[in-house]
Amino acid sequence: QVQTVESGGASVQAGGSLRLSCAASGYTHTYSTYCMGWFRQAPGKEREGVAFIDDDFRTKYAAAVKGRFTISRDNAKNTLYLQMNSLKPEDTAMYYCAADDVGGCDRSDYVELFVYWGQGTQVTVSS
């Protein structure tokens, strides 16, 4: 049974930090072979990609978060992380993780190609 469980969301003041986690289990292929991504969706907005890490640990970030967020993965624990620093009110959203079985993250612009979505974890940043 596939499970993806995000955690770590909270309400914080602007300038604060949070670390999100995403625990995966039951994926069809070995976890380490997946491109893993963090996405977010604010009320009334489309879901957008935030950060991605491929099967060779190469990373890419959305311009809005580059330099403030860091994505990492622990393949031994089947867990994905997102360290978020210098948080801004515009970072407020539900955060999700998901997987693409094309490991190189070349398809990161295509949200619809990602699978194994979790329920999300809420991040709220107040000014």
Side-chain angles (χ1 to χ4, degrees), residues 50-112:
V50 173
F52 301 88
I53 186 166
D54 72 11
D55 53 347
D56 283 330
F57 296 90
R58 290 172 297 200
T59 59
K60 57 173 76 172
Y61 298 91
V65 307
K66 200 168 187 178
R68 299 188 297 121
F69 290 10
T70 302
I71 189 171
S72 61
R73 68 193 296 170
D74 184 338
N75 290 334
K77 296 181 179 179
N78 286 9
T79 301
L80 181 72
Y81 303 99
L82 185 68
Q83 177 67 43
M84 305 188 294
N85 298 328
S86 302
L87 283 161
K88 303 175 180 180
E90 50 264 44
D91 294 319
T92 295
M94 187 71 79
Y95 283 71
Y96 302 88
C97 69
D100 183 11
D101 61 7
V102 177
C105 289
D106 293 331
R107 309 194 302 183
S108 60
D109 288 340
Y110 303 96
V111 176
E112 65 276 14

Side-chain angles (χ1 to χ4, degrees), residues 37-48:
W38 283 101
F39 300 80
R40 66 187 181 187
Q41 187 167 18
K45 295 189 175 181
E46 291 189 354
R47 192 167 297 188
E48 61 176 0

